[in-house]
């Protein structure tokens, strides 16, 4: 009996502190669940597009050797420092055509992505200029992408995984608290079964 009481006390503490830890995060995912489900009401129909042109230093493309052994990190750093572009950059897509070791034509394209935002950088190797097209889809689109873990990077994805684990622990702690209360537990199991049935019926009759 003492062991059961101790387990109950631990479960109660877990339930209290974990629920308070995830409270605001769950409210965030609840709100963004609504904005995702009713995107036509929340997401801007007119996105904000912006473009700019910057000059890339000649040293990056001064020879065939430099182009073929391009320091990608330095190029990306230069673009970030001299423009408004941000987000996670894709791999560089490089196209070149040479004649007698001299470049006839060539370009580099890079895609940048972050929540609610994307950008395309097109570098002309002949003119050594970068044309940048940036699109901001708005604040709600940013929240929606955070909800989905889209274009967020590894740390936000790990954070979402951690929240999933904590919610699972929260539910299990709640069940543990119900176990000694037979009547409440029976009613709770009926509600669990009912909720599952409602989801299955809606899927079977209205979706599949």
């Amino acid at each position: 009996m003492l062991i059961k009481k101790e387990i109950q006390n631990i479960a109660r503490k877990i339930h209290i502190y974990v629920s308070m830890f995830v409270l605001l995060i769950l409210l965030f995912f609840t709100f963004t669940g609504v904005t995702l489900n009713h995107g036509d009401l929340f997401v801007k129909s007119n996105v904000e597009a912006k473009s700019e042109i910057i000059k890339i230093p000649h040293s990056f493309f001064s020879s065939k050797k430099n182009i073929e052994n391009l320091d990608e990190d330095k190029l990306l750093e230069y673009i970030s420092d001299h423009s408004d572009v941000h987000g996670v950059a894709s791999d560089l897509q490089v196209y070149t055509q040479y004649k007698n070791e001299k470049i006839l034509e060539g370009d580099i394209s890079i895609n940048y992505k972050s929540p609610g935002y994307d950008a395309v950088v097109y570098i002309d190797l002949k003119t050594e200029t970068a044309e940048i097209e940036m699109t901001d889809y708005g604040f709600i689109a940013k929240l929606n992408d955070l909800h989905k873990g889209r274009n967020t990077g590894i740390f936000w994805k790990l954070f979402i995984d951690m929240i999933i684990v904590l919610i699972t622990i929260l539910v299990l702690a709640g069940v543990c608290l119900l176990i000694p209360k037979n009547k409440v537990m029976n009613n709770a199991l009926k509600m669990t079964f009912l909720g599952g049935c409602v989801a299955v019926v809606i899927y079977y009759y209205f979706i599949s």
Side-chain angles (χ1 to χ4, degrees):
M1 188 69 181
L2 182 63
I3 295 175
K4 287 184 178 179
K5 188 175 180 182
E6 190 134 336
I7 291 173
Q8 289 285 300
N9 288 334
I10 293 171
R12 188 173 290 105
K13 288 180 180 179
I14 289 173
H15 198 268
I16 291 170
Y17 293 114
V18 172
S19 63
M20 295 310 295
F21 181 84
V22 301
L23 175 61
L24 294 178
I25 302 160
L26 282 178
L27 290 175
F28 164 77
F29 281 104
T30 301
F31 174 72
T32 50
V34 174
T35 60
L36 278 166
N37 209 31
H38 302 279
D40 53 328
L41 298 177
F42 293 96
V43 178
K44 293 192 304 183
S45 57
N46 295 323
V47 298
E48 182 182 333
K50 179 183 175 183
S51 61
E52 59 180 305
I53 297 175
I54 61 172
K55 190 74 175 174
I56 305 295
H58 177 66
S59 57
F60 282 108
F61 317 123
S62 57
S63 67
K64 182 179 179 180
K65 182 179 178 181
N66 282 1
I67 295 173
E68 291 179 345
N69 298 284
L70 187 63
D71 191 329
E72 295 185 9
D73 291 335
K74 282 189 177 180
L75 178 60
L76 294 175
E77 183 181 355
Y78 180 88
I79 293 171
S80 297
D81 289 344
H82 293 81
S83 70
D84 294 328
V85 74
H86 64 272
V88 179
S90 68
D91 293 334
L92 275 62
Q93 302 295 317
V94 182
Y95 165 75
T96 53
Q97 186 176 350
Y98 297 94
K99 184 177 181 181
N100 299 326
E101 297 297 311
K102 289 186 178 181
I103 190 163
L104 287 178
E105 57 180 325
D107 60 70
I108 298 173
S109 59
I110 314 164
N111 292 314
Y112 286 81
K113 292 186 179 294
S114 68
Y117 169 94
D118 61 49
V120 177
V121 178
Y122 174 82
I123 303 172
D124 188 318
L125 299 183
K126 287 285 288 181
T127 62
E128 297 177 351
T129 57
E131 297 179 14
I132 305 171
E133 297 287 339
M134 295 165 280
T135 307
D136 189 333
Y137 296 94
F139 180 68
I140 296 298
K142 180 177 291 188
L143 296 183
N144 288 346
D145 280 353
L146 287 171
H147 181 111
K148 294 183 285 187
R150 181 185 179 197
N151 302 326
T152 55
I154 185 63
F155 292 107
W156 182 259
K157 291 180 186 294
L158 290 174
F159 177 71
I160 292 177
D161 290 341
M162 181 190 74
I163 296 303
I164 292 169
V165 172
L166 289 176
I167 291 172
T168 304
I169 292 171
L170 177 64
V171 171
L172 293 177
V175 172
C176 186
L177 290 172
L178 287 175
I179 289 174
K181 305 171 183 178
N182 291 331
K183 187 176 180 181
V184 178
M185 183 65 173
N186 288 334
N187 290 334
L189 288 175
K190 290 176 184 176
M191 293 304 295
T192 302
F193 180 73
L194 177 62
C197 286
V198 169
V200 170
V201 167
I202 292 174
Y203 174 79
Y204 184 79
Y205 285 102
F206 300 102
I207 300 174
S208 65

